[in-house]
Amino acid sequence: MKAGSDEGSRREFLIRAARAGATLALAGTAGLALHDTSAPTGVTASTASGPPLPDWSLRDDGPRLAIITGRDRRRTLERSIDALGGIGRFIRPGDRVLLKPNAGFATPPDLCATTHPDLVGAMVRLCLGAGARSVIVTDNPVGDPATSFRLSGIAEAAEQAGATVVLPRESLFRSLSLPGSTLIRDWPILAEPFDGIDRVIGICPVKDHSRSGATMALKNWYGLLGGRRNLFHQRISEIIRDLAVMVRPTLVILDGTAVMRRNGPTGGALDDVEIRNTLIASLDQVAADAFGATLLGRVAGDLPWLGMASAAGMGTVDWESLKPRREAVD
Amino acid sequence: MRIVTVRRVSQIFFLGWFLWFCAVTTFGEGRFQVRGWPVNLFLELDPLPALATTLATGTLYAGMLWALATVALTVIVGRAFCGWICPFGTLHQAIGWMGRSFLRGDRARVNRPSQWQGVKYYLLAVLLASAAADLVRGSASPGARWPMTVQAAVAFGAVVLAYLALSRVVRSRGRAAAWSLALVVLWMLAGRVLPGDEVFASTDLVGWLSPIAFLTRGMDTVVLPLLDRTVGLFFSAPRHVQGGALLGILLAASLLANLAIPRFYCRFLCPSGALMGLLGRNSLWRVARTTPACSNCKACDADCEGACEPSGTIRTAECVLCMNCLPACKEGVITFRTRPSEAGERPLPDVSRRGVLLSLASGLALPPLLRLAGEAGASTPPALVRPPGALPEPEFLDRCLRCGQCMRICPTGVLQPAGIDTGVEALWTPVLNNRIGTSGCQPNCVACGFVCPTAAIRPFTLDEKLGRGDHHATGPLKMGCAFIDRGRCLPWAMGRPCIVCQENCPVSPKAIVLESWVETLREGPWDVAAIDDATVRLDGAPLRPGRVAGGDYLVAVVGTPEPGLRVRDNTADQVVLARPEDGALLAAGARVELRVRLHRPYIDPGRCTGCGVCEHECPVVGLRAVRITSENESRDPRRSMGRG
């Protein structure tokens, strides 16, 4: 055997050994670098919660509650705004406004399970008329979102008046925590549409509600909750109080023109609806609901969440103390 | 323009329309929504669903009449539908064309006729026989559905078939005739003995395999839902599809098979193609060779889509009129003309008479076999909750094409393709899955009945669905009934207030009614240490702060029958009463317990429509505490749980 051949095989062996060594080194480094001595911990509380929603409430000395009687929602709405000092008090030119109706169910407007489209349209026009740059209308309905917005007439009314309807998509929800709340902790909230918003207006009907006694301005914010929010029904009064703390609107409009007296919150029959011809506009959403309860023949004591929201400093149950402006539109 | 270019333009034109109709099959009045688009046109053009539903039901429903146009086209020129119109065929051809690079040098070989091309004729025989089973039974024991003349014709056909079969086995013609007559007499006697419906029921299974239904189902339950989730463009809200993976794998397999053998599905599986092959037997024009002999270069076979061997004795029923052979022939001896090929023709691939008879018999045996478990009768699976307007199960199965159009149009996505857990026969038919979708069946929606091409879900009005107007006396359409699972329901089993189901019930008056109930908490009892107005201080184990807040909880003296005093809030050792004046009703030293006021849900089966909104909303997220099953469905009075 020639020496050259020996040398060749030695050389080949050394190259092979170097490659094997590199493979071992790579595998060893990767294995040690990625080595994990502790098991995965399973679900951990997320720390990525965003900040809570801003405070949009007005704290001037103007009147805080208007109660207007009349049949025509557009006219009672306009009168109520005038009674509170005019739309200019709430909307300034260039404002971005978010309107939160109750678009909960895929039912026609005359069943009054959802905010009446006339009212949505009129409110949008008032805002745009006062110079608002844009108006967003959004809600996370119980029923199929697209169908609910369409069938309730809210989508069409809002779009015709010049607003943008934002249907809830998964990407619009952010996981938020409300400080001090045991319920709203890392919970998906329809928060994205509120980004850059200057004014928030809640606009909803007065309805019977099986679990909470009534659903009005405070319970309307339930529509901002995402996820399997139904589990909050086990602690309904607390979630309503927490929602009142979480969302502090510029104004709430409570529509008692026709109220759902029973079978709430879905209704489903015209028999469930009673004509009361009353519209409430308020800067104090607790006071609005306290008065709204009377339209359902209920008192504040029947609705524990009113007292709890009041105790949390979110308004007064004693609506008469606000010296409401009471006017009638024939 | 070359004929092949014209054919490609035609294919792209029809594929474009098909995809457009798929895209706009969504609920609504928008530009990209269903409006008045004839979204079922291609399903209706396919002659197989039309023939099978006609055999099964005795009528040719509405738009299915379009099938006659395809029949006319096929009778005159052969399988032009396959080569020029069918969107599934176009996709197969396109993928096969893309796969040519895998097959370089072998193209003529993979495009040679194969004995397996006969399979689709056997499949056709099975499907048509099972669709016609009730008609065949009618020929034995005349029923009301078919006129006597039709039944007599079927009986005569059965005699001829029996004779044809026996003439192969029995040598003497006279004896064969005697045997077949004896069989027919036996058949007539069997007709007296065999029970109707359950055994010799017809079932329309063509939707599993007929190409347009196959592709529409693939689009509606796989492609579009995936696009909704990713691209989102002008489709529906994102939704899930139960069994979507299997549906997707089958669609992908049917398309990828073209990489191995072009037009795999068309050649071996498509029963509609087989039917059109038979219809086109006497076509007036056909692809033909103008000379008895040629150089035998086989260039014409290289791109033959139908694998019908234009270089030799052409299989006319297999030719899909792709026309690739015309320009391929260097000698110019292949043409499209009225005279048959000079090289001879064979109408069909190798299809044996015995095989066809066996397939027909298998088809007749299929419905009784599929119904052995009684799923369409006594043993209806409880989860088989059909959409409103669905016909009674046997008639439903006579029509449903499993095309998925109802599932696509459903605005909440609650309609889902059934898996085999509800019976093999019901595979991919629409059922409600209330856990999927954005809500249950919406009370104010009639979309599924509006879109169904065969009226398996018949058209119904809102008045009928809600039991209004003329339908007041019959009441609303019911899909089933809700049942409370008391072992899982929070107020029933776990002492927690809930009633989400009752609240969301869209029926007025509500079909879920509540009964008030007061239950003692397992914490406690305590002695009252002190009372200060509304604040009651308790002596003993501490409470979790907020444990009894909210107004659902009560404090009561142990042993008293009265519910107790309402609590507003609590700290570790204090409870705050909701009404301050109630404090006077308790005395220090009294032994008290905490109670919870619950509302327990009950179902009123008279009012429940089975819409499933309660099941969808139930906070018990796994196996829901309120669930819909198919009892009480309007479409089958025998499944009613009671009268009145």
Side-chain angles (χ1 to χ4, degrees):
Chain A
M1 203 172 268
K2 279 185 201 169
S5 158
D6 245 7
E7 229 167 69
S9 82
R10 190 180 305 128
R11 184 185 161 77
E12 186 267 342
F13 175 78
L14 286 174
I15 291 172
R16 195 146 37 91
R19 282 184 183 157
T23 310
L24 277 177
L26 198 68
T29 315
L32 289 174
L34 300 175
H35 188 216
D36 175 16
T37 52
S38 56
T41 52
V43 177
T44 48
S46 152
T47 49
S49 290
L53 298 174
D55 184 347
W56 292 280
S57 60
L58 275 184
R59 290 202 194 79
D60 56 17
D61 296 330
R64 299 182 70 77
L65 177 64
I67 300 167
I68 311 296
T69 56
R71 277 173 304 189
D72 183 339
R73 289 183 175 86
R74 189 181 53 80
R75 295 181 59 199
T76 49
L77 175 71
E78 284 166 4
R79 181 67 70 88
S80 71
I81 300 291
D82 287 344
L84 292 179
I87 189 70
R89 184 179 170 204
F90 307 103
I91 308 290
R92 282 168 311 201
D95 274 352
R96 294 188 186 82
V97 183
L98 186 142
L99 211 57
K100 162 64 178 80
N102 178 344
F105 304 97
T107 48
D110 54 356
L111 295 179
C112 296
T114 46
T115 304
H116 200 281
D118 291 354
L119 201 56
V120 174
M123 194 67 232
V124 172
R125 283 193 189 88
L126 276 174
C127 293
L128 292 174
R133 184 189 308 185
S134 61
V135 181
I136 283 175
V137 178
T138 195
D139 187 20
N140 181 24
V142 176
D144 174 64
T147 322
S148 299
F149 265 96
R150 200 51 65 187
L151 209 58
S152 63
I154 292 172
E156 196 185 354
E159 278 159 3
Q160 273 181 5
T164 310
V165 173
V166 176
L167 293 183
R169 300 186 305 272
E170 215 159 300
S171 58
L172 298 181
F173 288 85
R174 274 207 297 262
S175 183
L176 295 185
S177 297
L178 181 68
S181 169
T182 55
L183 302 177
I184 304 178
R185 272 172 33 192
D186 284 319
W187 196 266
I189 305 286
L190 184 59
E192 207 82 7
F194 286 87
D195 286 346
I197 290 294
D198 304 301
R199 306 284 159 178
V200 170
I201 299 174
I203 186 162
C204 59
V206 174
K207 296 198 295 177
D208 168 55
H209 192 272
S210 194
R211 178 73 180 101
S212 61
T215 167
M216 296 177 286
L218 297 186
K219 176 74 170 51
N220 186 32
W221 305 119
Y222 208 85
L224 300 182
L225 296 170
R228 293 212 54 89
R229 58 186 175 187
N230 283 337
L231 58 87
F232 292 133
H233 274 52
Q234 293 160 56
R235 318 232 29 130
I236 194 75
S237 299
E238 288 147 285
I239 190 68
I240 296 176
R241 177 203 50 209
D242 290 355
L243 286 167
V245 175
M246 183 178 81
V247 191
R248 303 181 194 189
T250 316
L251 180 70
V252 292
I253 307 292
L254 193 53
D255 180 14
T257 311
V259 302
M260 184 187 291
R261 284 297 300 267
R262 59 190 152 266
N263 269 319
T266 52
L270 288 172
D271 296 348
D272 299 330
V273 176
E274 192 175 294
I275 304 298
R276 298 304 301 263
N277 287 332
T278 309
L279 187 125
I280 302 127
S282 179
L283 281 71
D284 181 330
Q285 46 180 352
V286 178
D289 280 6
F291 174 78
T294 63
L295 297 177
L296 290 166
R298 272 154 226 179
V299 294
D302 296 332
L303 310 170
W305 42 269
L306 273 176
M308 292 163 72
S310 181
M314 292 303 116
T316 175
V317 177
D318 182 11
W319 54 272
E320 281 171 296
S321 70
L322 296 180
K323 302 189 176 57
R325 305 291 167 99
R326 308 195 72 148
E327 293 175 26
V329 180
D330 56 355
Chain B
M1 206 190 296
R2 294 198 324 167
I3 184 76
V4 174
T5 313
V6 178
R7 188 255 300 153
R8 285 188 190 131
V9 169
S10 164
Q11 284 180 295
I12 292 168
F13 174 81
F14 286 110
L15 179 65
W17 274 114
F18 176 80
L19 295 175
W20 174 256
F21 291 151
C22 287
V24 299
T25 308
T26 64
F27 183 76
E29 296 166 338
R31 192 174 304 161
F32 300 123
Q33 290 168 329
V34 67
R35 288 181 151 192
W37 293 109
V39 291
N40 293 323
L41 183 63
F42 285 88
L43 287 164
E44 290 161 348
L45 281 171
D46 185 347
L48 180 57
L51 176 60
T53 46
T54 305
L55 285 173
T57 65
T59 63
L60 185 59
Y61 175 66
M64 306 290 278
L65 193 65
W66 277 108
L68 283 184
T70 311
V71 170
L73 177 72
T74 310
V75 168
I76 294 168
V77 297
R79 287 172 63 183
F81 183 86
C82 305
W84 292 58
I85 297 173
C86 177
F88 207 23
T90 302
L91 290 177
H92 291 312
Q93 187 165 349
I95 292 168
W97 182 79
M98 286 187 273
R100 286 193 313 173
S101 53
F102 294 116
L103 309 167
R104 187 154 296 148
D106 275 22
R107 275 153 60 193
R109 195 178 61 77
V110 297
N111 288 329
R112 270 210 292 270
S114 152
Q115 58 167 348
W116 295 103
Q117 281 167 252
V119 169
K120 61 178 176 292
Y121 295 91
Y122 301 131
L123 288 173
L124 175 70
V126 171
L127 294 173
L128 288 182
S130 45
D134 194 47
L135 172 61
V136 173
R137 182 189 65 83
S139 70
S141 57
R145 191 186 280 179
W146 294 85
M148 279 302 285
T149 44
V150 176
Q151 290 177 1
V154 171
F156 178 73
V159 177
V160 173
L161 277 175
Y163 175 76
L164 285 174
L166 282 164
S167 64
R168 283 297 173 99
V169 187
V170 184
R171 214 164 278 155
S172 142
R173 282 192 176 191
R175 207 183 285 173
W179 266 108
S180 41
L181 203 67
L183 279 176
V184 168
V185 170
L186 191 67
W187 178 245
M188 293 301 203
L189 287 175
R192 307 280 149 234
V193 182
L194 288 174
D197 282 350
E198 287 277 317
V199 177
F200 265 84
S202 51
T203 185
D204 186 351
L205 303 171
V206 297
W208 282 345
L209 283 174
S210 84
I212 309 293
F214 193 110
L215 181 59
T216 307
R217 178 170 62 240
M219 292 298 291
D220 287 349
T221 62
V222 180
V223 179
L224 291 171
L226 282 176
L227 286 176
D228 291 339
R229 298 205 80 80
T230 50
V231 183
L233 206 54
F234 50 82
F235 305 111
S236 304
R239 53 179 62 176
H240 296 280
V241 177
Q242 69 180 27
L246 179 63
L247 285 157
I249 288 166
L250 287 173
L251 179 68
S254 74
L255 293 172
L256 293 178
N258 297 298
L259 295 177
I261 301 177
R263 280 203 184 242
F264 181 94
Y265 194 91
C266 314
R267 289 183 195 175
F268 305 119
L269 294 174
C270 182
S272 296
L275 176 63
M276 285 185 268
L278 296 174
L279 285 172
R281 275 190 79 146
N282 302 309
S283 63
L284 307 186
W285 282 271
R286 47 195 57 209
V287 170
R289 218 164 78 191
T290 54
T291 55
C294 66
S295 68
N296 206 20
C297 71
K298 306 237 184 246
C300 53
D301 286 352
D303 285 320
C304 177
E305 286 291 322
C308 56
E309 203 181 10
S311 67
T313 49
I314 187 167
R315 276 76 169 164
T316 48
E318 294 299 289
C319 174
V320 296
L321 272 67
C322 69
M323 303 295 178
N324 282 340
C325 51
L326 269 64
C329 181
K330 303 286 176 295
E331 296 154 52
V333 296
I334 300 187
T335 186
F336 188 58
R337 64 175 191 183
T338 51
R339 253 188 308 145
S341 176
E342 302 297 333
E345 286 182 350
R346 291 177 61 185
L348 288 176
D350 304 319
V351 178
S352 75
R353 189 190 292 177
R354 205 179 302 160
V356 170
L357 287 170
L358 194 62
S359 303
L360 287 172
S362 305
L364 286 177
L366 202 50
L369 184 64
L370 287 171
R371 293 187 185 178
L372 201 54
E375 275 133 347
S379 179
T380 302
L384 195 77
V385 181
R386 294 287 187 201
L391 298 179
E393 193 63 9
E395 285 101 281
F396 180 87
L397 292 169
D398 278 348
R399 290 171 181 265
C400 179
L401 294 181
R402 289 101 170 140
C403 62
Q405 292 287 78
C406 52
M407 303 164 202
R408 184 68 196 154
I409 200 98
C410 176
T412 64
V414 70
L415 276 186
Q416 292 285 327
I420 54 169
D421 51 325
T422 41
V424 175
E425 195 179 0
L427 183 66
W428 302 328
T429 57
V431 291
L432 274 79
N433 179 340
N434 293 306
R435 288 175 59 185
I436 298 190
T438 52
S439 186
C441 176
Q442 301 294 285
N444 292 291
C445 175
V446 296
C448 51
F450 170 80
V451 82
C452 181
T454 60
I457 308 172
R458 63 187 170 79
F460 56 96
T461 64
L462 213 49
D463 276 354
E464 184 181 4
K465 184 174 183 185
L466 299 174
R468 296 187 310 209
D470 293 346
H471 301 275
H472 186 74
T474 48
L477 282 180
K478 294 177 175 178
M479 290 159 271
C481 187
F483 290 80
I484 304 278
D485 187 338
R486 291 187 181 181
R488 303 180 69 83
C489 174
L490 298 178
W492 274 107
M494 305 182 187
R496 292 186 175 204
C498 179
I499 67 167
V500 169
C501 54
Q502 187 264 359
E503 272 175 12
N504 284 290
C505 174
V507 178
S508 176
K510 285 181 186 291
I512 303 183
V513 289
L514 300 174
E515 201 172 86
S516 187
W517 175 259
V518 175
E519 200 168 280
T520 302
L521 301 195
R522 276 178 284 278
E523 295 102 316
W526 298 265
D527 292 323
V528 174
I531 301 172
D532 176 16
D533 273 354
T535 307
V536 182
R537 196 152 59 77
L538 302 174
D539 192 17
L543 272 171
R544 184 164 49 77
R547 163 77 173 95
V548 293
D552 293 318
Y553 295 85
L554 309 158
V555 58
V557 175
V558 173
T560 48
E562 295 78 20
L565 311 172
R566 198 168 188 183
V567 174
R568 200 183 80 203
D569 208 347
N570 74 287
T571 61
D573 64 346
Q574 290 178 345
V575 296
V576 184
L577 299 177
R579 280 185 296 265
E581 61 271 27
D582 283 353
L585 300 173
L586 283 177
R591 193 147 181 82
V592 295
E593 60 191 16
L594 288 167
R595 297 174 182 172
V596 59
R597 184 187 294 281
L598 300 166
H599 290 98
R600 291 173 163 178
Y602 291 78
I603 306 293
D604 180 342
R607 293 205 288 264
C608 179
T609 63
C611 73
V613 172
C614 53
E615 183 176 350
H616 182 265
E617 298 298 327
C618 177
V620 183
V621 290
L623 179 63
R624 302 284 153 95
V626 57
R627 300 188 293 278
I628 309 294
T629 50
S630 57
E631 290 86 354
N632 250 12
E633 53 183 354
S634 309
R635 65 186 185 130
D636 189 350
R638 289 173 309 172
R639 295 182 45 70
S640 161
M641 291 190 294
R643 300 286 147 136

